[in-house]
Amino acid sequence: MKIVLIGAGSMSFGRGLIADVLASQELEKLDGTLVLVDTSEENLNLMLRFALALKEFHQRRINIEATTERKTGLAGANYVITSGAAQRYHFWRQDFFLPLSFGFKHIYGENGGPGAAFHTLRSLNLMVPIVKDMEEICPQAWLLNFTNPESRICLAIKELTRIRAVGLCHGPAMTLTFLARTLNLPEEMIDLTVGGINHFHWVMSLRHRKDGTDLYPLLRKKIEGDPKSLPPLTYLLFSSFGLLPFPADSHIGEYIPYAYQVCGPFSGLRMLERPLTDEKNSAVTARSNLEKAAAGDREMLRQLAVTTRENAVSIIAGLKLNLKRRELSVNLPNENLAVSNLPAEAIVEVPAVVDGDGLHPEKVGPLPEPIAAYCRLQHTIQKLLVRAYAERSKELLYQALLLEPTVDDADRCRQMMEEFFRLQAGYLPEMS
């Protein structure tokens, strides 16, 4: 079994996934190889030394390799895990502030809204060549993707390639943690079913795992008694439509036209107005800690061995060992109408059972019609963006931008689009 981790030089993503792989008792049963891939030789060398130190810390048998040559790393791969971004915070600031400067009142600019269209195009410029390499070198491998915007990347892979892919996100795990805290129950006692799209999933069923009791009435009672236990936009949507969305206004607000009115741009400002020195100091600290761990500091190794809430390793084990295990959430095409009132070609976020034959999305039923309408609009935008990328068409991109809920002026929209191409030249695909 060969697992390839592309983007392994990331001090957060790389660290977390390496820790997850090496902590897994299930993967230890297999004769495995972990290959770290990154374009930064300096970062890659550090993560290799860290991984080897963590291997010794856990007393694992897995082979660990590293290369800056992606095609070399992909040879013989069974599972490929990806997470990538080009100058993430630099461009995220532009994705956030530029639409605001043209009067489009969005709140985050990462996965929805006008700025996210350009995030999508930059990410596709990174991801599609990787997947095309997989088609050539390891066409039977599974791709487990963390690169955002998740739904849009997964749709492009489905439409433009033949690779089997699943999108992963820890958002539903955060929802479970919130519910456990609110209901004063252990997480393992909550049977949770989510449905929707990535960063816009909704709690469709909430039951006590021991006796099957419906926990939604208790949740509603607790939130009615303390409305401020939810962020303002989340509370508005919950009270209006009857289901709880992912409890973070920053994410769900990207798909809502009145999010700015409810909570303003604070979600984006809080992250993106941090001084650049704060980011640099944080990166320096992370690198320093990894250097200590790589040099054999046992206490630092113990701290950095902490696993994540991501489910990539659990899915790999489920596929390889035929575990027939239910995963809380995956992002897959809605081909079996897991969400019955969303299009079959849409990428939906739902639970799934994982076994030796693949990932099998759980049928969760229909979303309330207003929620489904929001999701269908986003799917249409996603389809246009994928076509715009594939056909290198500014007009298709312009059509996608005009559909964004926060875009209310066609001329300013076109001006904004051209300014994005000026500012992000070399990172966006050439379009005409």
Side-chain angles (χ1 to χ4, degrees), residues 155 159 197 342-347 374-385:
L155 183 64
E159 296 293 326
I197 62 176
L342 293 185
E345 68 272 19
I347 303 298
Y374 281 132
C375 293
R376 285 194 290 265
L377 173 59
Q378 288 302 313
H379 173 61
T380 299
I381 292 170
Q382 292 168 13
K383 285 197 299 182
L384 284 168
L385 289 173

Side-chain angles (χ1 to χ4, degrees), residues 144-355:
L144 295 87
N145 176 63
F146 288 95
T147 301
N148 277 322
E150 184 72 77
S151 298
R152 299 169 181 201
I153 301 302
C154 290
L155 183 64
I157 293 169
K158 171 182 175 291
E159 296 293 326
L160 305 180
T161 81
R162 301 184 305 278
I163 291 298
R164 297 178 297 176
V166 57
L168 304 178
C169 178
H170 57 246
M174 295 171 63
T175 302
L176 178 59
T177 298
F178 165 80
L179 291 168
R181 184 173 65 247
T182 302
L183 297 170
N184 195 27
L185 286 170
E187 290 187 15
E188 58 270 20
M189 286 294 102
I190 297 176
D191 192 355
L192 171 65
T193 298
V194 301
I197 62 176
N198 183 239
H199 287 188
F200 198 56
H201 68 253
W202 299 73
V203 175
M204 300 186 70
S205 174
L206 182 61
R207 296 190 175 277
H208 197 289
R209 181 158 290 162
K210 188 173 182 180
D211 59 16
T213 302
D214 184 0
L215 294 173
Y216 243 130
L218 176 60
L219 177 66
R220 291 189 177 95
K221 181 178 179 180
K222 285 183 173 289
I223 290 176
E224 287 168 5
D226 182 14
K228 291 186 177 180
S229 62
L230 288 177
L233 182 61
T234 304
Y235 178 77
L236 174 63
L237 295 177
F238 181 40
S239 59
S240 299
F241 299 128
L243 296 183
L244 180 73
F246 173 84
D249 283 1
S250 57
H251 287 317
I252 62 177
E254 294 196 287
Y255 309 114
I256 301 295
Y258 43 85
Y260 190 100
Q261 174 191 354
V262 176
C263 54
F266 70 90
S267 296
L269 289 172
R270 205 159 38 214
M271 174 176 290
L272 299 176
E273 282 201 326
R274 291 183 308 169
L276 288 173
T277 51
D278 287 357
E279 289 174 26
K280 291 177 181 177
N281 290 340
S282 177
V284 167
T285 299
R287 178 176 289 276
S288 174
N289 290 341
L290 282 162
E291 290 282 6
K292 292 176 183 176
D297 183 320
R298 301 293 288 184
E299 175 56 26
M300 189 58 66
L301 271 170
R302 185 186 65 78
Q303 292 181 33
L304 297 186
V306 173
T307 56
T308 71
R309 297 294 299 271
E310 312 293 359
N311 58 347
V313 169
S314 177
I315 288 174
I316 291 172
L319 290 165
K320 189 69 176 177
L321 299 173
N322 191 30
L323 296 179
K324 298 180 174 62
R325 180 162 56 202
R326 183 185 192 257
E327 294 292 336
L328 180 60
S329 71
V330 296
N331 288 271
L332 287 171
N334 195 33
E335 290 169 349
N336 70 338
L337 294 184
V339 183
S340 59
N341 56 347
L342 293 185
E345 68 272 19
I347 303 298
V348 294
E349 187 162 76
V350 293
V353 173
V354 184
D355 61 23

Side-chain angles (χ1 to χ4, degrees), residues 50-115:
F50 167 68
L52 291 171
L54 200 55
K55 172 185 173 178
E56 187 276 332
F57 179 81
H58 283 300
Q59 292 295 295
R60 296 303 194 215
R61 295 178 295 119
I62 191 170
N63 299 311
I64 301 176
E65 303 170 1
T67 179
T68 56
E69 299 297 326
R70 185 171 72 223
K71 290 187 176 183
T72 299
L74 288 173
N78 304 106
Y79 306 99
V80 179
I81 307 174
T82 50
S83 179
Q87 300 187 48
R88 182 170 186 256
Y89 285 102
H90 170 74
F91 285 124
W92 193 351
R93 282 188 173 87
Q94 292 179 3
D95 295 344
F96 179 69
F97 287 112
L98 189 58
L100 285 177
S101 76
F102 279 88
F104 302 130
K105 293 183 177 179
H106 70 153
I107 71 167
Y108 206 51
E110 185 190 23
N111 293 291

Side-chain angles (χ1 to χ4, degrees), residues 381-401:
I381 292 170
Q382 292 168 13
K383 285 197 299 182
L384 284 168
L385 289 173
V386 171
R387 283 185 56 206
Y389 171 81
E391 299 176 25
R392 298 300 194 263
S393 169
K394 276 190 179 180
E395 285 309 303
L396 289 172
L397 171 61
Y398 179 59
Q399 290 175 20
L401 290 168

